[in-house]
Amino acid sequence: MGRLGTLARAEDVNSPHQDQRRPGTPWRIRIGTYAATAAMVSAGIVLGAGPASAAPAPVRLTSASCPAEIVQGQTSGCVTELQNLLNTHGAGLQVDGQFGPATLYAVREYQAATAIAVDGRVGPATKSKLYATGGSAPAPINLNSSSCPANLVQGAKSGCVTELQRLLIHHGYSIDVDGDFGSGTASAVRSFQSDHGLTVDGQVGTNTKRELYDTDESPSTGLDLRSASCPANIVEGQSGGCVATLQSLLNGKGHSLDVDGSFGPQTLAAVKAFQSASGLSADGEVGPNTKAALYSNIGGGGGSGAPAPVNLNSSSCPSEIVQGQRSGCVTELQSLLNHHGADLAVDGDFGPLTGSAVRDFQSEKGLSVDGKVGPNTKAALYGAVTPPSSPAPGGGYAKMLDVAAAEVGTAEGSARANSYGSAVGLSLSTSGYAWCATFVSWVAKQTGASSYRNTYVSGWVKQARAGNYHLSVTSNPQPGDIVAFDWNGGNDFTGGHEHIGIVRSVSGSSFTTVEGNTSNPNGGGDGVYVKSRSTNSSYDVLFIRVR
């Protein structure tokens, strides 16, 4: 049904974007400063910090004197060397030769930034990468701050340029993050301006800054067009989740629309074509008859029309899944294929396109190309996406921060990040949808702090304001509370410019958070990271108590 892999994505205010199936942004070797880590250390919020002491003499990590894997809890010259290397990349660690929580965090940050498995263990791959990469960019500075010029131009070298480059990468432009506004950055700026309908002058002024920071949380495709949540007649000019569902349904009928939640000329043409092919009046208005036709021949497993996904290895799925079948097993299959780049409509119906995607996947993985999803194909499909075990649920609201903080450094699109969707019934890659609220839902599920789950920020705000599900609004935030952001103001937390995270520490009007679907502080890919926020900024903030 819905081409869920093409949803636009939400992002935090430091590097937001509206990304329609963004190509995989390459990981950069010259990475920027770990601003969040340094901020945490300077603020004293990293546990275990103590008085400075003489560190053991550094020992090269690749020498026989160092273990094959350097892990938390060790104290040695190998750890001294590790901390020195991490600091060359901006980690801001106290070099004491002790592998404590701050060093663990910096290791995970570095691994996420350089496309190494984020396990916090310094093995051969991490050692090699630490010695292969070098240098650091100035710490990023928000472009709208008084520290940055009104117009940022070629030739500048500063943290403002670091921030600019980080934002450009986030929008899909391949450049180095080095804090130097050179010809490559200037070219990317002009391309960005052209792509977003701005004056193409290569200067980063007010309008370009605004567009760089613009964000849009994707409209949900979980709304049923036949429900009271959608208008009786959906027509050109409307936008939102109902339109996103319409576009997904049309794609399930053979069209190729961007699922952006905006009913424009292309969606209108697709509606008319569908109506004509279905023997309906081709007026372009999606009323009861058109809705009924769109949902025909689609399984009834939820608001999106597709059967709920079922693990392919469960007893509910046949040993071989083949063309012609329609079930939750096929829903899961299509979601897994999309994770591997298939871009299928997820409708639970094993048709010719799904069959072709299966054969392409089998060919790519060196399997027997027969289009049948048997044990070997199932194993290969789950090979890249089976999530590691999660911490045992429990602990209530007191454990919200502990569970969230343990995920810091988890990279978007990784098996671990994709596992968060289990809390809201999604079997998708986090590279393809807005998952900040999914992460909060997962933390709530792990701790049992609240039974509420929602992929929309607005849902969390609504329930907190109503006092439901052990949620309430608070003006006295504490670590472990939830915080919602409305980037474009209005304090309504609707309209597609929202974000959500979990409070880590509070100091006056400033606070830090653990957020999913947020930018890597040094300019790499998105993931779960610590961010510094403030209640005295241009965006609206609402704190949610979980009790």
Side-chain angles (χ1 to χ4, degrees), residues 219-398:
S220 170
T221 56
L223 292 172
D224 192 312
L225 302 187
R226 302 161 294 186
S227 72
S229 300
C230 293
N233 285 287
I234 305 172
V235 298
E236 186 177 13
Q238 294 178 354
S239 61
C242 298
V243 177
T245 297
L246 167 64
Q247 292 166 327
S248 293
L249 286 166
L250 288 167
N251 285 342
K253 300 296 185 180
H255 296 275
S256 299
L257 298 169
D258 284 335
V259 181
D260 58 7
S262 180
F263 196 137
Q266 290 183 328
T267 301
L268 177 64
V271 168
K272 289 182 176 180
F274 172 75
Q275 289 172 325
S276 178
S278 301
L280 302 171
S281 175
D283 57 8
E285 296 187 8
V286 183
N289 292 336
T290 302
K291 292 177 183 179
L294 283 165
Y295 279 103
S296 65
N297 298 320
I298 293 180
S304 66
V310 177
N311 189 291
L312 302 185
N313 294 314
S314 75
S315 59
S316 300
C317 292
S319 58
E320 278 195 339
I321 304 170
V322 298
Q323 190 166 334
Q325 295 176 1
R326 182 182 294 113
S327 68
C329 306
V330 180
T331 302
E332 175 82 347
L333 167 63
Q334 291 168 327
S335 294
L336 290 167
L337 288 168
N338 281 349
H339 176 85
H340 292 280
D343 195 21
L344 291 167
V346 180
D347 57 5
D349 190 346
F350 197 139
L353 292 178
T354 301
S356 177
V358 168
R359 288 189 291 274
D360 288 345
F361 175 78
Q362 290 172 326
S363 176
E364 178 186 340
K365 298 299 180 181
L367 303 170
S368 175
V369 182
D370 57 8
K372 299 177 180 180
V373 183
N376 292 337
T377 301
K378 291 177 183 179
L381 282 164
Y382 280 114
V385 297
T386 301
S389 60
S390 299
Y397 70 86

Side-chain angles (χ1 to χ4, degrees), residues 452-539:
Y452 188 64
R453 314 280 184 265
N454 202 307
T455 60
Y456 256 47
V457 177
S458 58
W460 284 93
V461 171
K462 178 180 178 180
Q463 297 303 334
R465 285 174 168 169
N468 298 329
Y469 299 100
H470 299 289
L471 305 175
S472 61
V473 175
T474 180
S475 58
N476 181 31
Q478 302 294 325
D481 285 342
I482 294 170
V483 57
F485 303 93
D486 190 345
W487 299 139
N488 62 346
N491 205 36
D492 57 359
F493 296 89
T494 62
H497 294 262
E498 296 80 49
H499 189 57
I500 196 166
I502 294 171
V503 177
R504 181 183 175 93
S505 67
V506 182
S507 178
S509 63
S510 299
F511 59 98
T512 63
T513 57
V514 178
E515 302 170 10
N517 193 43
T518 197
S519 62
N520 187 320
N522 77 77
D526 292 355
V528 180
Y529 296 107
V530 171
K531 288 300 179 75
S532 297
R533 304 296 192 189
S534 173
T535 56
N536 291 333
S537 297
S538 59
Y539 47 82

